[in-house]
Amino acid sequence: QVQLQQWGAGLRKPSATLSLTCAVYGGSFSEYYWTWIRQPPGKGLEWIGEINHSGFTNYNPSLESRVTMSVDMSKNQFSLKLRSVTAADTAVYYCARGVIPLHYYYMDVWGKGTTVTVSS
Amino acid sequence: DIQMTQSPSSLSASVGDRVTITCRASQSISRYLNWYQHKSGEAPKILIYAASSLHSGVPSRFSGSGSGTDFTLTISSLQPEDFATYYCQQTYSTPRTFGQGTKVEIK
């Protein structure tokens, strides 16, 4: 059974960098897209972006100037960095596995979520 | 970006009711449409992918239909564990945008 375990600092000051990591247990790392999604308080889900094992990335244009995703295949981990955070970046951040059966992409395994608060 | 619009934003229903949620895309997305269930404090769960394919382990009371720009999620007989927020997501192109969500509450 594949599991995603995520961690990172829960409190960031404005202008700091948010850093989160997600580890993949119990499954292949190289066959999937590894994704980050967030949910601000009282709002819906927002797709941040994705990365595959080769480091190929797709980012949400609304965040692209501040986002970097990376993978560490030796540890079966992938990471998110979001620079210059503001209060608007306060959210629950989820990592997830993207699968593409017959070209139809969906996210089938999710981490439990990390609450990140941006406040001075 | 492709905009996804769900309706209604919320609904109240009783156990046993048939519930229908709609999702409209701002342009044709063929059948590149997923539905997720999200309960407060938990991670979202995939229900339907490719507009109508039921993910493994999801009860058969959930079904999806549609193609192009208009899609529907139907719960044939609402169960107590189905009270949650439901999101559609298009995966035709990036960014893989979500609808704003439909909250299903107990009447």
Side-chain angles (χ1 to χ4, degrees), chain A residues 6-38:
Chain A
Q6 59 182 105
W7 66 89
L11 179 63
R12 297 275 82 186
K13 294 186 185 299
S15 78
T17 295
L18 176 160
S19 294
L20 297 174
T21 298
C22 187
V24 181
Y25 296 104
S28 168
F29 191 79
S30 61
E31 299 173 19
Y32 305 99
Y33 272 88
W34 303 100
T35 309
W36 292 96
I37 304 98
R38 70 181 183 178

Side-chain angles (χ1 to χ4, degrees), chain B residues 22-36:
Chain B
T22 63
C23 179
R24 175 164 289 177
S26 60
Q27 66 182 73
S28 178
I29 58 171
S30 184
R31 296 178 61 81
Y32 291 88
L33 191 284
N34 303 327
W35 289 99
Y36 297 87

Side-chain angles (χ1 to χ4, degrees), chain A residues 9 14 18 23 25-26 28 32 43 47-48 51 59 63 65-68 78 95 99 102 104 109 113 116-118:
Chain A
L18 176 160
Y25 296 104
S28 168
Y32 305 99
K43 296 187 178 181
W47 184 84
I48 300 171
I51 187 168
Y59 296 145
L63 299 168
S65 64
R66 299 191 290 129
V67 168
T68 301
F78 60 105
C95 60
V99 296
L102 301 175
Y104 289 103
V109 182
V116 178
T117 302
V118 180

